[in-house]
Amino acid sequence: MPRIYSLSHLTTEGLTPPQMIALAAQVGYDAVGLRLLPTTPGGMAFPLMDEAALLRDTQTAIAENGVGVFDLELVRLDDAFELERYLPFLEVGGTLGARAVLVAGDDADRSRLIDNYAALCEAARPFGLSADLEFMPWTTVSGLIHASDIVAKVAQPNATVLFDALHFDRSRSRLEDLDALPRHWLNYAQICDGPVPGPTAHAEMIRAAREERWLPGEGGIDLGAIWRRLPEDLPVSVEVPDKRRIAALGAKRWASDALAASRGLIEGL
């Protein structure tokens, strides 16, 4: 089965869901990832659960372009998490035929985080959605080993670890930790590159992750060693935001370059 390549929201941030889907089809992606909820207060998002016309336009774009929705962003498990707030989000995910929900864990109360994650998994399952827990070095789920431990404790069939190459490198996670992951704990992985060593201050880590990633092969992250350990059929989310180069080249050219670099590196292994 051919590997799925999905266009991440951040790689073309600013395009509406229908625009993203049309662009993805033009340059050769199989799917897209849509941000329906902001990652920060006031951040960019397209709340399809609240905008019926945009939801209809998105469904039309899917049908006309043959490009589906792979993942939805973002559910944040923090100390203010309330599952009921996310039920319309999950319902839209089912309507769109999405496969995954990106989950950020950022609650210092570990027991509460695990309980809320389990509840989210149970709520997402009827809609055919996995709940993919992404580790990020500036959150309370800061590394691969932490995310793995939480997924193990939750023990839900749709609880998985979301692997991001940049976060793997900057959280100082180990290849041995990746080797130890059961196959069914992996649903997709995000690819990009960056300088090594990278920033160590959290504020700069966050800025670089959102605004200044490099094309696969341009930086020092050992993507070859990583992807040799990942399943050959694992879907790939191409998440390569670079505000400067997107402004200079345009969203279509940048999305095309990011796909070519990602596919070239992975399929050349």
Side-chain angles (χ1 to χ4, degrees), residues 78-118:
D78 58 14
D79 59 0
F81 175 81
E82 295 178 0
L83 177 62
E84 293 73 18
R85 292 168 44 210
Y86 292 96
L87 296 180
F89 170 93
L90 298 175
E91 184 176 357
V92 165
T95 298
L96 293 173
R99 292 173 49 171
V101 171
L102 192 157
V103 182
D106 204 9
D107 190 342
D109 186 328
R110 183 178 177 79
S111 177
R112 180 173 59 198
L113 189 155
I114 290 171
D115 288 345
N116 285 335
Y117 183 42

Side-chain angles (χ1 to χ4, degrees), residues 145-161:
I145 195 168
H146 306 109
S148 302
D149 184 62
I150 291 169
V151 168
K153 284 183 167 57
V154 165
Q156 296 279 348
N158 60 336
T160 62
V161 175

Side-chain angles (χ1 to χ4, degrees), residues 233-253:
D233 60 346
L234 190 70
V236 176
S237 172
V238 179
E239 186 172 62
V240 195
D242 186 322
K243 286 195 171 183
R244 179 182 60 82
R245 286 194 281 185
I246 292 170
L249 299 174
K252 183 177 179 180
R253 168 68 185 278

Side-chain angles (χ1 to χ4, degrees), residues 4-7 30-34 67-72 93 96-102 128-130 132 162 187-189 234-237:
I4 292 172
Y5 288 88
S6 179
L7 176 61
D30 307 293
V32 298
L34 301 180
V67 167
V69 177
F70 190 91
D71 65 300
L72 301 177
L96 293 173
R99 292 173 49 171
V101 171
L102 192 157
L129 294 164
S130 61
D132 298 69
L162 174 54
N187 189 38
Y188 71 115
L234 190 70
V236 176
S237 172

Side-chain angles (χ1 to χ4, degrees), residues 94-246:
T95 298
L96 293 173
R99 292 173 49 171
V101 171
L102 192 157
V103 182
D106 204 9
D107 190 342
D109 186 328
R110 183 178 177 79
S111 177
R112 180 173 59 198
L113 189 155
I114 290 171
D115 288 345
N116 285 335
Y117 183 42
L120 176 66
C121 289
E122 292 175 359
R125 196 179 312 130
F127 299 106
L129 294 164
S130 61
D132 298 69
L133 183 61
E134 182 175 18
F135 59 94
M136 293 173 258
W138 56 85
T139 68
T140 57
V141 184
S142 58
L144 176 56
I145 195 168
H146 306 109
S148 302
D149 184 62
I150 291 169
V151 168
K153 284 183 167 57
V154 165
Q156 296 279 348
N158 60 336
T160 62
V161 175
L162 174 54
F163 178 91
D164 181 306
L166 192 74
H167 301 330
F168 178 83
D169 178 76
R170 294 184 177 174
S171 65
R172 300 186 179 180
S173 295
R174 305 177 304 164
L175 292 170
E176 292 83 356
D177 301 331
L178 184 56
D179 290 334
L181 285 185
R183 170 65 182 89
H184 64 279
W185 285 6
L186 288 168
N187 189 38
Y188 71 115
Q190 296 174 328
I191 193 170
C192 70
D193 211 335
V196 174
T200 56
H202 284 182
E204 181 57 18
M205 282 185 182
I206 294 169
R207 188 202 65 78
R210 293 175 179 167
E211 300 180 6
E212 199 175 88
R213 300 194 187 204
W214 294 3
L215 295 173
E218 288 185 335
I221 299 175
D222 195 349
L223 297 174
I226 292 169
W227 252 265
R228 286 188 183 96
R229 287 167 163 80
L230 294 175
E232 291 185 359
D233 60 346
L234 190 70
V236 176
S237 172
V238 179
E239 186 172 62
V240 195
D242 186 322
K243 286 195 171 183
R244 179 182 60 82
R245 286 194 281 185
I246 292 170

